[in-house]
Amino acid sequence: MQRSKGVNIKNLTRIYLIHGGNSEFKAVDNISIDIKAGEFVTLLGPSGCGKTTTLRMIAGFEIPTEGDIFLGGDKINNLTPDKRDTAMVFQSYALFPHLNIYDNIAYGLKIKKIDKDELNKKVKNIIELVGLNGMEQRYPNQLSGGQQQRVALARALVMEPGVLLFDEPLSNLDAKLRVYMRTEIRKIQKKVGITAIYVTHDQSEAMSLSDRIIIMNKGIVEQIGTPKEIYYTPATQFVADFIGTANFVSGEIAEMKGELATIKVEDVKFELPYKGTKEKGEACKLVLRPEAIQIGDTGLFKGKIIASTFMGAFQDYTIQLDNAILKCEDFNPQIKTIYEEGQDIFVNFDKNNVHII
């Protein structure tokens, strides 16, 4: 039975000295995160945002400049990587080329001097779990990339760590295999019940794998939430822009009545649900996903089609309004009117699918 553990990060900072020690670079800037036992959490963000540094501090490969890391309630700042109840699945697989699959998976247990019968039982169970039956005597160079990744996953799982760490493990695989392997990783994680912390810059990977996503940018946490929360109610413009495709329209809060805001965009006023802190007279930005925009012969705003592209499942439009350019995805175009470049149209949007930031 898996012994899952929660992870608590308190005011964690990692500073690097650069230019001969004359200046500092804050790779991670005072972040606090609570991860529950058995949860699958993804650290997501662009290159240089601090996600890998955060993962490496949890693993013990980097030492925090400030702050604390707790695993299962125990502070682990001063423990070496081998003394922490974690295991890492690396981007490069890091398999031993001179050992067969069985011995690669068994390596950590042999170091721990586990009883031979117990070791054999654990390795066989893990090999079955990750679907590598019959490949025990093969060597890494005789396996596909996906199979090598399964061996790396099995080698980490067989140690029965409290937390499993993933450092962009699928980035070396082709697109189709990456989709398949992320499904397999999630299935195995759920079956075993292990806590997983996963680093990626691929938003599709994060959305499909995660219970919660932690969006990082320039060393700070921009937002923590479920994939749905991150997509539909982004906390900042950065989050909205990083996850999926987002349109931004500038407006003003014309009136507030409880949790209902009257928004003024150009000369048009309309009501939207709003639970934020902005007040009457303040400028705001509306986040509209492409699927939330509807176009037709009547509507709130006048616009012009500046690009129209058939994409199979949807017609992709780029629309010019007076003060914004919008991307629109009109699904099932076979039964719709197709508007061509240069045509004047009107724009509406689903008010339940508009978010104010």
Side-chain angles (χ1 to χ4, degrees), residues 307-338:
S308 175
T309 309
F310 177 68
M311 299 298 291
F314 60 90
Q315 189 77 13
D316 187 64
Y317 292 108
T318 306
I319 303 160
Q320 177 74 63
L321 300 187
D322 281 351
N323 72 347
I325 292 177
L326 304 180
K327 295 289 288 181
C328 167
E329 293 174 358
D330 197 13
F331 282 84
N332 203 7
Q334 194 172 11
I335 61 170
K336 307 272 183 72
T337 301
I338 303 295

Side-chain angles (χ1 to χ4, degrees), residues 63-293:
I63 305 302
T65 307
E66 295 173 14
D68 297 311
I69 304 167
F70 298 88
L71 200 155
D74 299 322
K75 187 174 170 180
I76 60 171
N77 287 42
N78 299 321
L79 297 181
T80 55
D82 59 305
K83 296 289 191 291
R84 301 187 182 203
D85 193 8
T86 62
M88 177 87 87
V89 180
F90 295 95
Q91 180 179 346
S92 61
Y93 315 140
L95 304 179
F96 298 113
H98 63 291
L99 297 181
N100 64 26
I101 301 318
Y102 182 96
D103 289 333
N104 259 287
I105 295 169
Y107 183 80
L109 296 176
K110 287 179 179 176
I111 294 291
K112 284 195 166 186
K113 296 184 170 26
I114 301 287
D115 173 76
K116 192 174 180 181
D117 289 341
E118 181 68 13
L119 181 148
N120 193 45
K121 182 182 172 186
K122 285 178 182 288
V123 173
K124 282 188 172 179
N125 285 343
I126 289 294
I127 284 173
E128 187 174 339
L129 179 70
V130 300
L132 288 170
N133 288 329
M135 299 185 187
E136 294 87 342
Q137 300 308 311
R138 293 191 195 179
Y139 287 82
N141 66 357
Q142 297 173 314
L143 301 181
S144 68
Q147 289 166 339
Q148 288 183 49
Q149 189 55 270
R150 287 171 185 271
V151 177
L153 179 58
R155 187 179 57 185
L157 283 169
V158 80
M159 301 304 293
E160 298 181 351
V163 178
L164 190 55
L165 308 173
F166 293 90
D167 184 14
E168 304 211 37
L170 306 182
S171 58
N172 290 337
L173 304 179
D174 65 63
K176 193 176 254 187
L177 186 54
R178 203 156 58 231
V179 171
Y180 175 73
M181 279 305 299
R182 75 190 186 203
T183 305
E184 288 299 293
I185 285 173
R186 182 58 163 151
K187 189 165 72 177
I188 291 165
Q189 182 267 339
K190 279 185 170 179
K191 190 170 184 179
V192 177
I194 194 170
T195 308
I197 305 174
Y198 191 103
V199 161
T200 185
H201 60 271
D202 185 323
Q203 53 176 275
S204 300
E205 227 166 77
M207 295 285 275
S208 63
L209 282 167
S210 311
D211 293 312
R212 285 190 301 154
I213 299 172
I214 298 164
I215 305 276
M216 294 189 69
N217 179 34
K218 296 179 181 176
I220 66 165
V221 172
E222 292 263 349
Q223 187 172 356
I224 301 174
T226 65
K228 271 189 179 178
E229 287 167 347
I230 295 285
Y231 186 80
Y232 287 118
T233 56
T236 65
Q237 185 165 339
F238 173 84
V239 174
D241 211 19
F242 193 78
I243 291 285
T245 302
N247 296 298
F248 299 100
V249 176
S250 297
E252 180 187 311
I253 308 281
E255 197 66 56
M256 281 297 305
K257 289 180 184 174
E259 292 184 351
L260 207 60
T262 301
I263 308 295
K264 183 182 178 186
V265 175
E266 298 173 9
D267 293 323
V268 179
K269 289 184 180 180
F270 49 91
E271 289 186 334
L272 291 175
Y274 180 56
K275 296 180 182 178
T277 57
K278 288 186 179 291
E279 296 178 355
K280 181 178 177 180
E282 286 193 69
C284 64
K285 269 200 179 358
L286 307 184
V287 180
L288 296 92
R289 298 296 182 184
E291 65 272 20
I293 295 170

Side-chain angles (χ1 to χ4, degrees), residues 29-45:
D29 188 1
N30 193 35
I31 68 170
S32 295
I33 302 166
D34 292 317
I35 298 168
K36 301 187 207 73
E39 194 173 22
F40 198 121
V41 168
T42 299
L43 298 169
L44 176 67

